[in-house]
Amino acid sequence: MYSKKLARLAFGVLAESTFKCPLTRSVSSRVNAARSLCSWTLCLHHRQKNQLSEGFSRRLTRLNVRTVSQTTVDPAEVRKFQAMASKWWDLQGDFAALHSMNDLRVPFIRDNLLNMHGIQQLGKPLAGLRILDVGCGGGVLSEPLGRLGTDVLGIDPVEDSVRTAELHSSYDPDLRERVRYQACTLEELAEEEAEGFHAVVASEVVEHLADLDAFASCCQQVLKPGGSLFITTINKTNLSYVFGIVAAEQLLRIVPSGTHDWEKFISPEDLERLLESFGFYVEAIRGMMYNPLTGAWSWQQNTAINYALHAIKCKEEPQPGQVWAESENLDKPGRATNYS
Amino acid sequence: MLTFAKAKLAVLGIVRRCVALRALNGAQAVRRGFASTERDEKSSTSENELFDIIISGGGMVGTAMACSLGLDPNLAGKKILLLEAGHKKEMDKVPETYSTRVSSISPGSAALLSGLGAWDHIVNMRCKPYNKIQVWDACSDALITFDKENLQDKMAYIVENDVIVAALTKQLQTLSDHVEVQYRTKVVKYTWPHPYHVSESIPWVQVTLANGKTLHTKLLIGADGPNSMVRREAGIPTVKWNYNQSAVVAVLHLSELSDTESSLVWSTSHQHAEELLQLDEESFVDAINSAFWSNENHSELVETAGSLFRTALSVLMPDSGSARQLPPSVAGIGPKSRVVFPLGMGHATEYIRHRVAIIGDAAHRVHPLAGQGANLGFGDVAYLTKVLSQAAFNGKDLGKSMQHLLEFETERQRHNLPMMAAVDLMKRLYSTNAAPLVLLRTFGLQATNALPPFKEQIMAYASK
């Protein structure tokens, strides 16, 4: 593994394919197609590089792979992604960093849910909880959560990834019962499953969305009151550009290039503000760091590059422009925010 | 040529420290042959055939592993199976006669067994704690004594292997809802899965039994002794050599161990071992006594050098050395209690593969002179359980993620290899009459005996 990484560093062997997948969200006007951007993680949603007017930015479009392939999707991208779809479970392959990130995100999700709900059953600590994994890809995160006893629904717009995920989990009878996958988007699901989940996990997903407002609104719809939202993503700093894009993609070739757009990264403060405007209370933000030599992730104080965030849906719905008090569950002082 | 390796180290009788290789257990378990017919493997896995963990081999270490996994809270709900080729070893009442095969159980292993709830059963059946170890050299008057400061604490325990297995089996019965056990079940074939996900192939380890059934498991633990089939079939390279020695094991009558009986392990050349086996009981007793008391290997040079060195040491460290105890005298032996088995050293270069782990004698086999074989195995059990428990709490696939299995391998190899190297070195050092080496070990023994802190370090390491 080390020699492989050194070889990459020394000779710059690059995996050409990118993980652009058809995406449907409306696009902001500030698309920068000139920069070749890459990131630590693999993307499932990717906004279009075309310049669209700002009028689209608020419209929620339904994404269905079949319709997308006829309208907004570049067939070349879809083909590339289909080729990659089988590589999700190669532990030494391009998705290795995502697999090793499970060492951080699974305990993060598990411990926060245990704090709120308590241990349900020995051996299956999270039994009885329903979790939605947005942008599940090949099911890398859905499977460990399923093994901990939760009922997981993994959604992803790319059908091949969903099929790979289904195939992989079909061998294990434990997972077959508890982990389900669906090829659809969050908006489609939000209409069917209002207030159906104890937790929503969106790991390495928000940096690929164009319309975060729509995302936050849908999360708010599908979560039960008091439910948890877990997000891991990349900060928008100079450091994240240097390490997350230049080093990760061009120098070390840990992830394929063109996966991410630095413009789409969001800082924890902005994300917190956004979530609060949709009725969430942000309970924890922690920095994460990837060590390319060992291939392992670790927690750190600094959120400059990668970070994880845990937010809780407040029990009372706030009205925009109003002051609200925190949910009675939480012992935090109430905060007042005005939105115009 | 007679080698008095065992006599020289003389860890028996008053020393109360006798060890038998579990090699005999494992070897017998594997040596049963059956004709088998294999059914075609089903391409889909039915639920009742897929286990989370299968442990192959129900000796001391395998049964301890099954108990340990069954008791772990994070592994509750996992399907665990223990396969043992022999019959169930139950012991309602401890038999009058002593079993020849015993093990020295260190405090660390006793702690594990007590955590499993088996230690109480062992104490109620039969075990003998001991406080002191004394090692004599046949070629000189050098000796070394290990004891705890106040002789109150137990250094370790001598327990018959059958008692340990029976106690663990009893404990395992209380876990029957978590852990399934199949006795008289021999495995004929293992089929290994691809390490990466290949569609249309079964990703689990397939275990084919002699009765034709095939079981699937996410993790296979091999605890099947020094001639491990799991290790062989997985193609794990092993560093091994045979000492040209066999061990003669017998039950002696002194006036010690349980007031009448004591346990003997005499490591000597194959030829001598065979001769000893053929002797009638009286001659055998004479042979043992002469081995303890004879001075025929003492040389002038070594004796003089040794006594000079001892004088020098007593000047430097006047308090060193405790009471010197003489070697025991044997009155008789237990009837029909002599057994011989060959000795060797073996170490598997890897303890793990994709979906496989090996523990106990399957991974490491040592000379019985230091009484560490069983303890190394119990140490493996404790650590592997800890690693698997943590992995289950993180939602990992127990066999697939090499990361936690590698952690087990690294940690245990770091602990086991120095111990095995030391035991092998001791064995080689004491297998010779050549004067320079005898001098070396004479001085070494006396110097070590004079340094209590160093001895404490040795005891602490061996007690883990």
Side-chain angles (χ1 to χ4, degrees):
Chain A
M1 183 172 86
Y2 294 143
S3 60
K4 201 164 152 204
K5 288 200 166 116
L6 284 174
R8 280 183 176 163
L9 181 59
F11 303 113
V13 170
L14 173 66
E16 287 293 334
S17 48
T18 62
F19 290 96
K20 294 181 185 147
C21 26
L23 179 80
T24 69
R25 316 261 182 224
S26 24
V27 186
S28 83
S29 57
R30 291 175 53 201
V31 174
N32 189 339
R35 275 197 205 157
S36 77
L37 302 173
C38 47
S39 87
W40 294 105
T41 61
L42 306 159
C43 106
L44 304 173
H45 310 275
H46 187 75
R47 81 180 166 189
Q48 289 179 331
K49 299 290 192 183
N50 301 329
Q51 304 229 348
L52 296 179
S53 74
E54 225 157 2
F56 283 85
S57 61
R58 293 266 165 218
R59 188 160 62 91
L60 306 177
T61 54
R62 301 184 68 127
L63 173 63
N64 185 311
V65 168
R66 290 167 282 285
T67 60
V68 165
S69 61
Q70 289 155 19
T71 55
T72 54
V73 174
D74 181 355
E77 309 276 8
V78 173
R79 269 198 304 275
K80 276 189 213 167
F81 191 74
Q82 274 169 355
M84 282 297 162
S86 58
K87 299 222 179 131
W88 278 104
W89 289 97
D90 180 4
L91 293 179
Q92 260 70 48
D94 290 327
F95 293 91
L98 214 56
H99 281 276
S100 63
M101 201 197 277
N102 276 348
D103 291 338
L104 288 192
R105 23 184 207 177
V106 173
F108 182 64
I109 297 169
R110 175 198 75 208
D111 293 340
N112 280 306
L113 286 177
L114 285 179
N115 275 342
M116 305 194 52
H117 301 271
I119 290 195
Q120 305 298 311
Q121 193 185 330
L122 279 185
K124 304 231 182 303
L126 300 176
L129 301 182
R130 286 193 77 210
I131 295 188
L132 173 68
D133 186 2
V134 179
C136 63
V140 174
L141 182 55
S142 311
E143 285 199 6
L145 293 176
R147 281 194 203 99
L148 289 176
T150 59
D151 287 309
V152 182
L153 172 64
I155 62 171
D156 197 283
V158 180
E159 214 170 303
D160 281 331
S161 300
V162 168
R163 265 192 250 124
T164 306
E166 275 170 344
L167 179 66
H168 193 265
S169 69
S170 66
Y171 289 104
D172 190 344
D174 280 340
L175 294 180
R176 230 183 284 148
E177 294 156 22
R178 276 202 290 277
V179 182
R180 288 184 301 119
Y181 296 101
Q182 212 171 311
C184 68
T185 65
L186 186 54
E187 295 98 322
E188 286 166 11
L189 197 71
E191 288 159 24
E192 299 160 12
E193 298 253 17
E195 300 209 346
F197 294 98
H198 293 93
V200 170
V201 176
S203 179
E204 308 304 313
V205 160
V206 299
E207 63 265 27
H208 302 284
L209 304 177
D211 192 351
L212 284 181
D213 290 345
F215 167 77
S217 159
C218 290
C219 286
Q220 205 264 354
Q221 276 177 270
V222 300
L223 270 178
K224 294 186 197 282
S228 293
L229 172 62
F230 296 96
I231 294 179
T232 75
T233 185
I234 307 180
N235 201 343
K236 190 175 180 178
T237 59
N238 293 327
L239 214 58
S240 73
Y241 181 68
V242 168
F243 285 104
I245 292 174
V246 173
E249 182 176 319
Q250 284 151 13
L251 295 181
L252 297 175
R253 317 283 188 197
I254 293 174
V255 283
S257 69
T259 310
H260 279 158
D261 182 350
W262 187 83
E263 295 296 329
K264 284 195 232 163
F265 291 173
I266 182 167
S267 73
E269 295 78 22
D270 289 339
L271 186 56
E272 181 172 358
R273 212 175 298 134
L274 171 73
L275 290 175
E276 281 175 357
S277 74
F278 279 92
F280 286 96
Y281 168 71
V282 174
E283 197 254 338
I285 300 181
R286 300 176 74 176
M288 296 158 50
M289 188 182 67
Y290 180 70
N291 182 341
L293 293 175
T294 60
W297 289 85
S298 55
W299 293 114
Q300 59 167 13
Q301 285 286 68
N302 191 346
T303 57
I305 309 175
N306 293 77
Y307 64 93
L309 178 148
H310 173 216
I312 301 176
K313 172 175 165 176
C314 301
K315 295 220 161 159
E316 283 124 21
E317 294 245 346
Q319 301 302 314
Q322 274 184 0
V323 169
W324 74 95
E326 302 295 359
S327 156
E328 59 266 20
N329 264 356
L330 311 163
D331 304 335
K332 304 286 188 305
R335 267 190 280 167
T337 316
N338 280 321
Y339 285 86
S340 52
Chain B
M1 184 175 95
L2 290 177
T3 58
F4 288 89
K6 192 58 202 174
K8 288 166 194 163
L9 294 175
V11 281
L12 69 98
I14 293 171
V15 174
R16 293 169 200 215
R17 190 142 158 266
C18 316
V19 170
L21 274 181
R22 290 183 331 277
L24 197 52
N25 265 338
Q28 281 178 353
V30 171
R31 245 185 264 130
R32 285 165 236 250
F34 288 91
S36 72
T37 55
E38 278 182 48
R39 278 196 218 120
D40 293 329
E41 288 160 13
K42 301 188 177 60
S43 57
S44 67
T45 309
S46 62
E47 271 77 345
N48 57 6
E49 277 188 349
L50 175 63
F51 290 90
D52 288 287
I53 302 177
I54 288 184
I55 303 165
S56 179
M60 281 195 288
V61 173
T63 317
M65 188 81 220
C67 272
S68 184
L69 293 175
L71 284 169
D72 190 273
N74 287 332
L75 295 169
K78 300 264 185 254
K79 294 179 69 176
I80 303 170
L81 171 68
L82 174 65
L83 296 174
E84 162 59 25
H87 58 271
K88 187 168 177 181
K89 292 187 177 62
E90 283 179 297
M91 213 187 253
D92 293 318
K93 206 171 78 76
V94 180
E96 286 290 323
T97 52
Y98 280 80
S99 158
T100 45
R101 295 198 310 275
V102 300
S103 294
S104 166
I105 302 295
S106 70
S109 301
L112 169 73
L113 289 171
S114 143
L116 298 179
W119 190 247
D120 291 332
H121 301 312
I122 291 175
V123 165
N124 289 338
M125 285 195 250
R126 188 156 59 202
C127 87
K128 187 67 179 173
Y130 62 89
N131 309 334
K132 187 169 152 186
I133 298 175
Q134 188 146 9
V135 184
W136 295 268
D137 189 327
C139 298
S140 72
D141 282 336
L143 62 81
I144 186 168
T145 310
F146 292 97
D147 53 19
K148 294 278 170 97
E149 288 264 314
N150 46 11
L151 278 187
Q152 294 278 339
D153 298 335
K154 305 287 174 286
M155 181 178 289
Y157 305 83
I158 296 288
V159 191
E160 292 150 273
N161 289 358
D162 289 341
V163 167
I164 299 178
V165 175
L168 286 168
T169 305
K170 198 163 163 187
Q171 203 50 28
L172 203 54
Q173 280 173 308
T174 64
L175 297 170
S176 52
D177 46 347
H178 289 140
V179 182
E180 193 187 317
V181 189
Q182 289 183 18
Y183 291 99
R184 308 197 71 85
T185 305
K186 176 158 166 43
V187 176
V188 295
K189 189 169 117 145
Y190 294 104
T191 310
W192 312 114
H194 287 290
Y196 47 87
H197 182 57
V198 176
S199 56
E200 304 309 320
S201 75
I202 301 180
W204 318 121
V205 177
Q206 295 168 67
V207 180
T208 312
L209 304 176
N211 60 14
K213 271 184 71 177
T214 299
L215 307 172
H216 298 242
T217 177
K218 297 180 188 169
L219 174 66
L220 174 71
I221 298 182
D224 42 355
N227 296 325
S228 164
M229 185 181 165
V230 173
R231 187 187 72 216
R232 208 171 50 236
E233 301 255 321
I236 296 178
T238 310
V239 174
K240 63 178 171 202
W241 50 80
N242 286 322
Y243 298 127
N244 281 327
Q245 282 191 331
S246 291
V248 179
V249 187
V251 173
L252 303 178
H253 293 287
L254 306 174
S255 53
E256 308 307 327
L257 182 63
S258 172
D259 300 330
T260 36
E261 277 152 32
S262 178
S263 184
L264 166 74
V265 179
W266 187 343
S267 311
T268 180
S269 69
H270 293 305
Q271 192 194 1
H272 188 228
E274 287 301 317
E275 285 171 23
L276 286 173
L277 203 60
Q278 301 306 323
L279 292 175
D280 63 84
E281 296 191 359
E282 266 198 45
S283 321
F284 185 69
V285 170
D286 288 338
I288 300 178
N289 280 327
S290 75
F292 276 135
W293 291 98
S294 128
N295 276 348
E296 66 187 31
N297 282 327
H298 288 217
S299 75
E300 287 277 340
L301 167 66
V302 171
E303 282 212 21
T304 326
S307 58
L308 275 176
F309 193 65
R310 198 172 30 242
T311 323
L313 274 180
S314 61
V315 165
L316 288 172
M317 308 190 65
D319 289 333
S320 66
S322 46
R324 190 198 171 90
Q325 200 151 16
L326 294 172
S329 283
V330 180
I333 64 168
K336 296 198 182 49
S337 71
R338 276 175 282 171
V339 188
V340 167
F341 50 88
L343 297 179
M345 203 286 290
H347 190 254
T349 53
E350 299 162 29
Y351 290 359
I352 58 162
R353 279 283 163 90
H354 178 63
R355 298 202 184 278
V356 184
I358 50 176
I359 58 176
D361 269 2
H364 40 73
R365 176 190 180 200
V366 289
H367 196 281
L369 66 86
Q372 290 302 313
N375 297 318
L376 294 181
F378 287 130
D380 290 347
V381 166
Y383 203 77
L384 184 58
T385 306
K386 177 177 139 194
V387 154
L388 290 177
S389 174
Q390 191 58 40
F393 195 50
N394 286 342
K396 289 193 189 169
D397 183 335
L398 291 179
K400 178 165 184 146
S401 163
M402 293 287 276
Q403 186 197 1
H404 60 269
L405 291 179
L406 268 173
E407 194 191 321
F408 156 72
E409 180 190 69
T410 312
E411 174 62 31
R412 289 311 296 169
Q413 286 197 338
R414 274 191 198 147
H415 180 265
N416 294 343
L417 279 168
M419 175 73 75
M420 297 177 72
V423 168
D424 192 62
L425 178 67
M426 292 287 282
K427 187 262 166 203
R428 288 174 197 283
L429 193 59
Y430 275 86
S431 295
T432 172
N433 287 343
L437 282 171
V438 172
L439 269 176
L440 174 69
R441 71 188 192 219
T442 303
F443 293 156
L445 212 54
Q446 287 174 333
T448 310
N449 200 31
L451 293 170
F454 187 44
K455 283 199 289 185
E456 267 161 42
Q457 286 293 320
I458 297 177
M459 284 198 294
Y461 189 70
S463 305
K464 266 194 271 186

